Amino acid sequence: MANTILVGAQWGDEGKGKIIDVLTANADIVVRSQGGNNAGHTVIHRGVKYILHLIPSGILRRRKVCVIGNGVVIDPVALVREIEGLQKMGIAVGKNLLISDCAHLVLPYHRVLDEQRELLKGHAKIGTTKRGIGPAYGDKAARTGLRISDLMQPALFSKKLQAKIRENNSILQALGAKPINFCEVKEAYLAAGEKLRPFVANTVVWLHRALQRDRAILFEGAQGTFLDIDHGTYPYVTSSNTTAGGACTGSGVPPHRMDIVMGVVKAYTTRVGEGSLPTEDATLADMLHEMGREFGATTGRPRRCGWFDAVAARYATMINGIDELAVTNLDGLDSVDPIRVCVGYRLEGKRLDVPPSDAAQLEKCEAVYEETPGWKTSTQAAKKFSDLPEAAQSYVQRLAELTGAKLTIVSVGPTRGQTIVL
Ligand code: IMP
Ligand code: MG
């Protein structure tokens, strides 16, 4: 397999976890390069449901090495919980996991600050996962963050942590929030740090050695294009680069070593949290929720739902350089008739082909739809493209055509077997 960057081409939750799990069969190494435990990747394997937050989904396959790269922010206590949870479920986690010594730490004050800032924002809140992601990346950019390498040096870590807690407690007190207890945090983090020690490495050098030996690397994106800190619907975004470039900076693998970018889209659109969703449709959301679909893997929140947005998908193809397209959750539309696809936006009488950069303008955009008849039959047993009802075939082909990328995967259910490779 060529080195592949896999990105979400919508607002996250495109079904990346399952596609990564399928692609991992042909990869040697799977790398996470951004985000933290705000992510929730659901994979169903042999009837068992796994939800991964920080560990690459590749961990579920034997003889694959998973790397948590320098661009990820790590809550060490949550990571230990995730490792031990997988081990209890019979998944081997040992030499197959590497953690970058340069990755930044998420600390308890980040979580409290995340919560407090959301409260202060009131109606203008972002709807974050409250995992402390924004404040942790904030400290990283302000050059005041603590990293895994600090955690590996207990005396140094304690000293730096004490200063950081003192500084943050004065902010928390001013906000009327409970101060953080230094000793408790120190103990919990150092204990987690000892459990993580065997996994910690200079992952940049390790990845370059693997490249020299022609190992195939899969870069697993978390969240989606429109949650990107630079290219998303700012300020309703996450705090990392979720687009293809993030795979380079977040892993130390240079751009010219990347071969293919695969974009993942749902056959419709969903979003968790606040911010515009031009194709949002309450009736579609009710239908999907009644089917038990579209509840957040990390927070359990019902996701907002809408029709496929080709304006957004086309933009995502441009920003990421998407070569290949995977369409997931096609079966979610099995009973929907007719099906709509957004082919343009209308803003103050003008037709737009690209999303406006400004959040207030995007909020005012009206979707322009194209309507196609549904197929009104289950697609879940389809093994090859020709097994799909004709209306479903032309629907996904139309999505690829509007998006401008080559259709290579269609997913019709959560299991590995429910994957059509074209
Ligand atoms: P944060 O990443 O927790 O700061 O949240 C910022 C925004 O990104 C919120 O709208 C979240 O709902 C959204 N978000 C963060 N992680 C994910 C994800 O893995 N899937 C979908 N949405 C996400
Ligand atoms: Mg998710």
Side-chain angles (χ1 to χ4, degrees):
M1 190 180 87
N3 294 332
T4 304
I5 302 178
L6 185 129
V7 291
Q10 295 165 320
W11 277 269
D13 304 315
E14 295 90 352
K16 296 180 292 296
K18 182 206 145 157
I19 302 296
I20 293 154
D21 177 60
V22 170
L23 294 180
T24 302
N26 302 314
D28 301 304
I29 300 161
V30 188
V31 180
R32 257 291 290 277
S33 52
Q34 43 73 225
N37 62 337
N38 49 347
H41 289 164
T42 309
V43 181
I44 294 177
H45 173 44
R46 297 206 172 132
V48 184
K49 184 170 166 177
Y50 301 89
I51 298 182
L52 297 145
H53 298 286
L54 274 162
I55 301 177
S57 317
I59 202 79
L60 303 178
R61 299 232 186 213
R62 278 194 222 170
R63 289 184 290 278
K64 310 290 174 184
V65 179
C66 290
V67 176
I68 302 180
N70 55 276
V72 176
V73 288
I74 299 175
D75 177 335
V77 176
L79 180 53
V80 166
R81 207 182 306 132
E82 195 171 326
I83 291 170
E84 292 178 347
L86 284 174
Q87 287 169 336
K88 267 194 209 116
M89 292 173 92
I91 304 293
V93 187
K95 287 208 180 323
N96 56 346
L97 178 67
L98 292 175
I99 302 169
S100 167
D101 53 358
C102 289
H104 275 252
L105 301 178
V106 179
L107 284 137
Y109 46 82
H110 293 134
R111 282 195 302 273
V112 183
L113 280 173
D114 193 355
E115 223 170 87
Q116 290 295 320
R117 285 180 190 163
E118 284 282 273
L119 280 175
L120 278 176
K121 283 201 174 98
H123 286 304
K125 71 169 197 249
I126 297 165
T128 73
T129 59
K130 300 200 179 108
R131 297 295 189 272
I133 305 301
Y137 276 113
D139 271 358
K140 175 180 175 176
R143 297 153 297 179
T144 61
L146 300 183
R147 307 198 293 179
I148 291 283
S149 59
D150 294 312
L151 186 62
M152 293 299 106
Q153 305 170 71
L156 175 80
F157 175 75
S158 303
K159 211 170 128 207
K160 287 189 175 179
L161 179 71
Q162 190 162 31
K164 286 295 291 179
I165 288 194
R166 200 176 296 134
E167 172 199 334
N168 280 282
N169 273 350
S170 62
I171 300 169
L172 293 181
Q173 261 154 353
L175 291 169
K178 234 178 83 190
I180 305 277
N181 183 300
F182 164 65
C183 290
E184 276 171 26
V185 175
K186 184 180 93 172
E187 246 171 67
Y189 272 60
L190 287 179
E194 287 317 309
K195 288 191 174 160
L196 296 180
R197 190 178 291 280
F199 305 106
V200 175
N202 181 331
T203 54
V204 175
V205 170
W206 190 90
L207 284 169
H208 277 264
R209 291 204 176 123
L211 285 169
Q212 279 165 1
R213 284 180 283 128
D214 282 327
R215 295 289 185 270
I217 309 180
L218 175 63
F219 295 85
E220 145 170 359
Q223 291 88 40
T225 297
F226 295 95
L227 293 173
D228 184 284
I229 183 84
D230 284 279
H231 304 292
T233 54
Y234 195 89
Y236 302 99
V237 293
T238 190
S239 297
S240 63
N241 284 116
T242 60
T243 47
C248 295
T249 53
S251 69
V253 175
H256 73 287
R257 297 307 306 266
M258 304 296 186
D259 301 305
I260 291 176
V261 180
M262 179 180 280
V264 186
V265 290
K266 262 183 195 154
Y268 45 92
T269 308
T270 64
R271 175 168 202 168
V272 236
E274 306 304 316
S276 299
L277 190 63
T279 62
E280 188 161 17
D281 186 289
T283 315
L284 182 62
D286 286 344
M287 264 182 74
L288 290 163
H289 291 151
E290 262 164 45
M291 290 156 74
R293 305 176 80 106
E294 304 309 340
F295 292 91
T298 298
T299 57
R301 291 180 286 180
R303 296 180 184 136
R304 298 156 62 195
C305 304
W307 303 106
F308 187 85
D309 184 339
V311 177
R314 204 157 47 224
Y315 193 76
T317 301
M318 181 184 85
I319 284 285
N320 294 293
I322 295 173
D323 306 295
E324 301 188 356
L325 191 69
V327 178
T328 69
N329 288 270
L330 183 66
D331 56 311
L333 296 178
D334 283 351
S335 54
V336 181
D337 184 51
I339 299 172
R340 300 169 97 185
V341 175
C342 165
V343 293
Y345 293 165
R346 208 184 325 271
L347 177 65
E348 286 153 359
K350 282 202 203 84
R351 173 88 178 237
L352 301 184
D353 296 321
V354 292
S357 317
D358 180 59
Q361 291 217 323
L362 182 62
E363 188 60 38
K364 281 192 228 151
C365 283
E366 255 177 78
V368 179
Y369 290 109
E370 190 177 273
E371 218 171 74
T372 57
W375 42 93
K376 291 187 286 181
T377 163
S378 174
T379 55
Q380 287 196 325
K383 296 278 174 237
K384 28 188 215 308
F385 194 68
S386 57
D387 292 341
L388 291 172
E390 242 165 69
Q393 289 185 28
S394 49
Y395 178 71
V396 278
Q397 291 290 13
R398 180 74 180 134
L399 301 192
E401 180 184 85
L402 287 166
T403 300
K406 186 175 162 233
L407 180 69
T408 53
I409 293 179
V410 180
S411 169
V412 291
T415 68
R416 278 179 193 168
Q418 291 168 302
T419 314
I420 300 169
V421 181
L422 278 85

